[in-house]
Amino acid sequence: MAETFCLSDFDAYGFDMDHTLAKYKLVNLMQLSYEAICDCLIQKSGYSPKLKDDIHLHKDFICKGLFFDAARGNILKLSHDGKILRASHGTRMMSEDEMISVYGTDLHWEHFHEAQRDVKCTGAGFKFRFFENYFDIPGAVICAHIVDTLDEEEGKPLEQYTFWEDVLVAMHTNFIPSAFTGNAGWFFPKLKANAKNYLQECSQGVKQWLKDLRQKNKIVFLMTSSGYDFASLVMNVILGADWQSFFDICLFNARKPAFFMNKTSFLKIEGGVEDMPVKTLRKNGCYSQGNLEDLTAFLSSQTDTQQPKVVYFGDSLCSDSYPARTYAGWSVVLVLEEMEAEGYHLTRHDLDCDDEQPASKVRQRQVNIEIDPEEESFLLSKMWGSFFYHEKEDTKHDGCMNTFWGRLVSQYNAIAIPIIEYIAGMPISHVYTRFGREVGSTSGFHPAKPKPLMPSKTLEISS
């Protein structure tokens, strides 16, 4: 019998901010990120101005979860067991024969086990980097462009590429929290000047849902790796000036995933600035940095439960799902916008739910579940294919997730949803089917499985 998941079973509800509660206007955001990284490389590291153009020209190259093989200048898409499914050298897609000449007949990537074991975005010695969030995904396009430029200048592919640390420095320069505080770099100044151009306001339904979660002895907390000042700007746009009233405690600069493993003290935030270290957290307070042990003690005291059951909503498999599940034992709801972009196949079973009403008719709050068509076009890549699935590797034709990220989706998350607005519209008592224990399980997608994961013979009704 399939295992189930229900929000009402939990004592505490935690929320990441970026790409979770805060839904970005992705096309505008990726254009800004792309230009900011390019400008830094051009102005600080002496790269050619030709590096910077319109990201719309490269939208089919954009795909979440690609790996950059830094020394070889190759971009890779991996299977769940480390096989290279597709690859490009710079922006040029490689044939299977080319891939075999570089990686061997089995096409197994030598860094796969490190990437799978640690789920860290950067490999030891900067040997690789994966691009998993929409702030840095444009970095893959930039790396590919630099490879193209270097090859053109040399008249052939280089034996080794050494520019990756320049790109890493450019990303760090733009996205480090102090850049927001100091109005430095090329990213934050433009975002601050017109934040509503990059952020989508939460619906009234989401706001009511957050209030409804705060029942007696239930705790709702915000935990983000963003600094207090940037988070305040974002939260003010998406929830309003009273945004702190939606949470029992707010945690900033959490430095995930290290938060779940280290013993860093919490710092109390006074007047928007980090102050003295504290050991005991107080309700309605704002804190920075911190650690899992002290947060658990707070949640236990507030819920009067020795081992509080926690569910955390996040978008990153690297810094949310993997550490929260592995080190904290929390259940995780993954917010995965690719679900919406790749489309659903709703079966008759999906249209039935444990509330004894069709899912489309049990909504208790008015929410916004529309997706921008232009945004969808950026999330779908003909060049790289589905985020979840690679047909050529599906020898059983059963529609199981068989990409690197597909395996992690089912391994570390209770369920996956396209946007917070979807689950906010459902009753808190609604019962969902969890991901199964088998590799590549697809049972935890809600409201339904992405289209590429549906066996062709299955009867479905497109949403």
Side-chain angles (χ1 to χ4, degrees), residues 13-17 21 209-210 213 220-223 312-313:
Y13 308 93
F15 291 89
D16 180 34
M17 183 182 74
L21 272 179
W209 177 65
L210 290 171
L213 288 172
V220 175
F221 65 96
L222 175 70
M223 185 171 78
Y312 188 69
F313 295 79

Side-chain angles (χ1 to χ4, degrees), residues 79 125 168 214 225 248 282 348 388 406:
S79 74
L168 190 62
R214 296 180 70 186
S225 289
D248 294 291
R282 304 294 182 188
R348 285 188 169 84
F388 308 100

Side-chain angles (χ1 to χ4, degrees), residues 141-156:
V141 179
I142 293 168
C143 287
H145 272 203
I146 294 174
V147 170
D148 290 346
T149 301
L150 293 173
D151 287 358
E152 183 179 355
E153 292 174 352
E154 187 70 15
K156 62 179 181 179

Side-chain angles (χ1 to χ4, degrees), residues 196-211:
K196 290 184 178 180
N197 190 46
Y198 303 100
L199 289 158
Q200 180 175 302
E201 184 180 352
C202 290
S203 67
Q204 289 300 317
V206 168
K207 297 175 183 179
Q208 185 59 50
W209 177 65
L210 290 171
K211 293 177 180 178

Side-chain angles (χ1 to χ4, degrees), residues 251-275:
L251 312 176
F252 307 94
N253 196 19
R255 301 180 179 182
K256 298 174 294 178
F259 176 93
F260 294 95
M261 298 169 276
N262 296 345
K263 301 293 184 181
T264 305
S265 295
F266 276 102
L267 304 178
K268 186 171 178 59
I269 293 177
E270 292 285 0
V273 179
E274 292 180 348
D275 198 23

Side-chain angles (χ1 to χ4, degrees), residues 336-349:
L336 193 56
E337 295 187 59
E338 282 70 21
M339 286 178 60
E340 187 79 42
E342 296 197 24
Y344 310 129
H345 267 190
L346 290 172
T347 67
R348 285 188 169 84
H349 173 73

Side-chain angles (χ1 to χ4, degrees), residues 329-340:
W330 294 353
S331 293
V332 181
V333 175
L334 179 66
V335 178
L336 193 56
E337 295 187 59
E338 282 70 21
M339 286 178 60
E340 187 79 42

Side-chain angles (χ1 to χ4, degrees), residues 446-463:
H446 297 279
K449 298 176 185 179
K451 287 181 180 180
L453 299 176
M454 294 297 295
S456 58
K457 64 182 180 180
T458 303
L459 175 65
E460 62 266 333
I461 306 168
S462 296
S463 62

